[in-house]
Each structure stands twice: as C-alpha cells, then as structure tokens.
Amino acid sequence: MRRSSPSISDVARAAGVSMGTVSNVLNGTVRVSPATRARVEAAIRELGFVRNGVARSLAAGRSSTLGFVIIDLANSYFLDIARGAEEEAGRAGLNLLLANSDMSEEKQRTYVDLFVEDRVAGILVAANHGSTHDLHRSAPGVPLVVVDAPGDHSDVCSVVPDNELGGYLAATHLVEQGRRRLLFAGTTELVPVRDRLLGVERAVAEHPGVVLEVEQTGNVQVEDGRRVGDDLVLRDPRERPDAVVAAADLLAVGVQQSLLLSSSLRVPDDVAIIGYDDNRAAWDSAVPLSTIRQPGEAVGREAVRLLLEELETGPEAHRHRLVTCEPRLVVRASTSGTS
C-alpha cells in the first residue's frame, strides 16, 4: 500500500505543537520562538514534509504560479516571450510554469484546463491564430491574457507586436538602399503576415516610382522560399525585383539559398533580401539576413503586467485592453552588403 505524504498535522504531532504554530513557521507571518521553530523544522526534515501548493493557494486565496501555454517552444521568438514573462513574474514574487501546445489546438485546450484545475493565479496563452474565440470561457474566474494573436479580443487582455510597423520598416529600409522593384513573399492567410504586407504597401505608397509585387506562398517555411527564389532566377532581368521582403526569416533563407545556388545572382548586389523575426535562421544564414526583430521579451513582460493588473483590481473593476509592442530593424549583409 502506498504511504500517504505527511501532513501539517503529522508535523505538529511530531514537534509537540499546534497546527497553527507549524503554519506560522512555514509562512513566517507570526513570530515563533527559536526553540519552537527548531523543533518544527526538525520534524519537517524527519518526516520529509512537502507543502501542498494547491492547498496553500486555496488557503491564501491566490496561487504564486502563472501558467503559460506557448504555441511553439522551438521558435526563439516564443522563448524570448517566455523569458520576458518569467522576468516580470519574478519581480512580483511569482513563478512561471510553461506548457508547449506544439501548434495543436487540442493540446492548447488541455493545458488551459490543467492550469485551471491547478488553480494558478493567471494564464498566458500564445494561441494558434484562429483558436482564440471564447478562449476565456475555458478559464472561468482565472485572469487570462492572449499573446501574439491579432484580432478582436475584447473579452480578454492581449499583447501583440506591431506587425504593420515591422513591414513598413522593412520596405522603407530597402527603398533607402536604392531598391525600386520590391517583392513581398508570404501567405496572407496568416493575420500577422497580412499586417506586415499593409506596412510594406504604406511604405511603397510614400515613395513614387517604387513598385510592389506580392507573391503568395503556401506557408512561411524554407521550402516555400526556395520556390520563390527559383521563380526569380528564371525571370527576365528587366522584370526581376531587386529586393524581397519575406514575411518570415525561414522564408527569406529559402529565397537566399535558391539565389546563391543559381550562381547567376548575388545577394544583395542583384537582389536584396530582408526577413522577419530575427531568429536563429537569420543569424546563421550564408549571407547574414537583415530582418525585423520581434519584441519578444517586451511582449512577455507586458502580458504579465496585464495579468497582475487584473489580479489587483478584480474581475469586476478590470477593463480589458490591447497593448502593442514595437519591433525594430536589424541591418545585416543581405541588404547592406556588409556584415
């Protein structure tokens, strides 16, 4: 038969004190004499007592843990978000527990339910795009903040990067480098990509004589970029774009690989390329990629601040809001010619 874990009453019995005294020693809320404290601590060590976090949360009225469901831990952008969230949670004396949904809506729901059952203080969700509808209904009574999921989230607080500004910065940089025929590559099925294209279009509209071509891709992976690059290689030089704005770094890497393999086109001399995200793909590419750096850590910090606001004000007084964080341009050899 499995032996149950020792309880506070077991510790109190072994130390010869009341359960209230044991609680005072554990919480440090009331002064206890050194001799009594020593007896209680000795009993804790002897019995191997471990505090029950859920029970303690119920007694205190609030947990010291936040749950964070992340869409893809393999993506350095989401790791940056987690790092910023953990930093801000730590400042408030809270712990952050991570779960990876791995692009699965089913896993996302499962982890949200698990965090609710464990009575965490609040939940952050970097959600699958299109899977955020009624997300707050999965966590009744628990503050929830949606991260990096553009759209109407009037029922919860949300934090997003300014993707339109990112697209604007990317295109403006290319124009300032003397490029006049821009190609935007990406799938506008994704809301962030659509917003990036809006920014590119705005920048082009501000510069007479600059033209823009849009090429839809199936996704934003390396193989999608290779197909874009292969198409550029086959183009008549008089009709070929002299710069590419890729909706993601992986897409930009694929374009670059195809152009470099052709041996007939040089990056950036013939075609400049700028990506989006500033993940490892941008750092390690054959020609270091200029890119738009996502404000991952800032997004994580703001998300935790929104949760803390709701915890402090309470659900009745709290007003949900959207916070937008600005990306920034990172210039490397793929547009400037120097690393």
Side-chain angles (χ1 to χ4, degrees), residues 225-307:
R226 290 197 192 106
R227 283 189 282 272
V228 173
D230 291 345
D231 175 64
L232 291 178
V233 170
L234 296 174
R235 296 266 199 109
D236 185 315
R238 293 168 297 182
E239 300 176 357
R240 183 186 299 126
D242 58 7
V244 174
V245 180
D249 286 338
L250 290 176
L251 191 64
V253 166
V255 174
Q256 184 188 108
Q257 288 176 352
S258 181
L259 297 186
L260 294 178
L261 285 172
S262 74
S263 74
S264 62
L265 293 174
R266 296 167 298 168
V267 177
D269 302 66
D270 299 307
V271 181
I273 305 172
I274 187 166
Y276 206 108
D277 290 329
D278 197 28
N279 60 31
R280 186 166 296 280
W283 318 334
D284 294 342
S285 56
V287 179
L289 273 174
S290 293
T291 188
I292 300 298
R293 179 172 294 164
Q294 292 273 47
E297 293 191 21
V299 168
R301 287 193 294 270
E302 290 296 336
V304 171
R305 286 171 190 159
L306 289 174
L307 272 182

Side-chain angles (χ1 to χ4, degrees), residues 69-73 78 99-104 108 126-129:
V69 184
I70 292 181
I71 191 171
D72 182 12
L73 277 174
F78 292 106
N100 181 29
S101 71
D102 202 24
M103 310 289 285
S104 164
Q108 177 181 291
N128 292 317
H129 298 302

Side-chain angles (χ1 to χ4, degrees), residues 40-209:
V40 171
E41 289 174 346
I44 288 172
R45 288 193 299 271
E46 182 180 341
L47 295 172
F49 171 78
V50 178
R51 302 183 77 174
N52 184 318
V54 173
R56 181 159 53 102
S57 300
L58 289 170
R62 192 174 95 181
S63 170
S64 62
T65 300
L66 302 178
F68 194 172
V69 184
I70 292 181
I71 191 171
D72 182 12
L73 277 174
N75 188 321
S76 62
Y77 169 53
F78 292 106
L79 289 178
D80 287 343
I81 294 177
R83 186 176 293 111
E86 182 181 37
E87 178 185 305
E88 195 64 28
R91 286 198 186 102
L94 298 172
N95 302 307
L96 189 70
L97 186 61
L98 297 179
N100 181 29
S101 71
D102 202 24
M103 310 289 285
S104 164
E105 290 186 32
E106 182 179 352
K107 289 179 71 174
Q108 177 181 291
R109 287 192 299 270
T110 297
Y111 282 127
V112 169
D113 290 344
L114 181 62
F115 285 145
V116 171
E117 290 174 10
D118 284 350
R119 297 179 180 271
V120 296
I123 300 173
L124 308 174
V125 181
N128 292 317
H129 298 302
S131 69
T132 60
H133 182 64
D134 287 341
L135 188 58
H136 70 294
R137 298 184 189 277
S138 302
V142 181
L144 186 146
V145 173
V146 173
V147 176
D148 192 53
D152 178 18
H153 304 303
S154 57
D155 50 3
V156 292
C157 285
S158 58
V159 186
V160 296
D162 192 336
N163 285 295
E164 184 175 343
L165 174 61
Y168 179 83
L169 292 174
T172 299
H173 168 65
L174 292 173
V175 172
E176 290 174 347
Q177 294 292 309
R179 308 294 167 159
R180 291 295 177 266
R181 299 191 304 278
L182 275 55
L183 180 143
F184 178 87
T187 170
T188 53
E189 293 293 315
L190 300 174
V191 176
V193 173
R194 213 154 53 226
D195 289 343
R196 291 165 195 176
L197 175 56
L198 287 174
V200 171
E201 291 172 336
R202 178 159 61 93
V204 169
E206 291 178 1
H207 295 87

